[in-house]
Amino acid sequence: MTNNLRKVKKDLCAFAKKCKDFKYTDSALITFLITGAVNISNNLFSAETNKNIKNQKQTISTSMDEGYL
């Protein structure tokens, strides 16, 4: 895990060198990591929500088919 953090820090420093308006700091690294964690958790919840919606649609479709038979 430590090597991954060092790689992220190195990549963020390289990005900072390319952008004139961005200055690398440790707080920028922490903000970047927190933002990524929040984004990942939102994607996990949205995937779960999509699965629930799909299940509900299937249940409704099945109940409609049974009603017509």
Side-chain angles (χ1 to χ4, degrees):
M1 187 68 176
T2 305
N3 289 335
N4 290 340
L5 187 58
R6 286 185 185 146
K7 181 169 178 10
V8 170
K9 183 177 179 180
K10 185 179 177 182
D11 291 344
L12 194 57
C13 285
F15 176 76
K17 289 178 182 178
K18 294 177 185 177
C19 297
K20 294 179 182 180
D21 297 334
F22 180 76
K23 182 180 179 187
Y24 174 81
T25 60
D26 286 339
S27 62
L29 176 62
I30 292 169
T31 303
F32 179 77
L33 293 173
I34 291 173
T35 304
V38 168
N39 190 22
I40 288 172
S41 66
N42 283 342
N43 285 341
L44 291 176
F45 286 127
S46 68
E48 184 177 312
T49 302
N50 288 341
K51 186 177 181 182
N52 289 338
I53 291 171
K54 185 177 179 181
N55 288 339
Q56 289 175 356
K57 285 181 180 179
Q58 185 176 10
T59 303
I60 291 169
S61 177
T62 303
S63 66
M64 288 174 60
D65 289 341
E66 289 174 357
Y68 288 115
L69 294 175

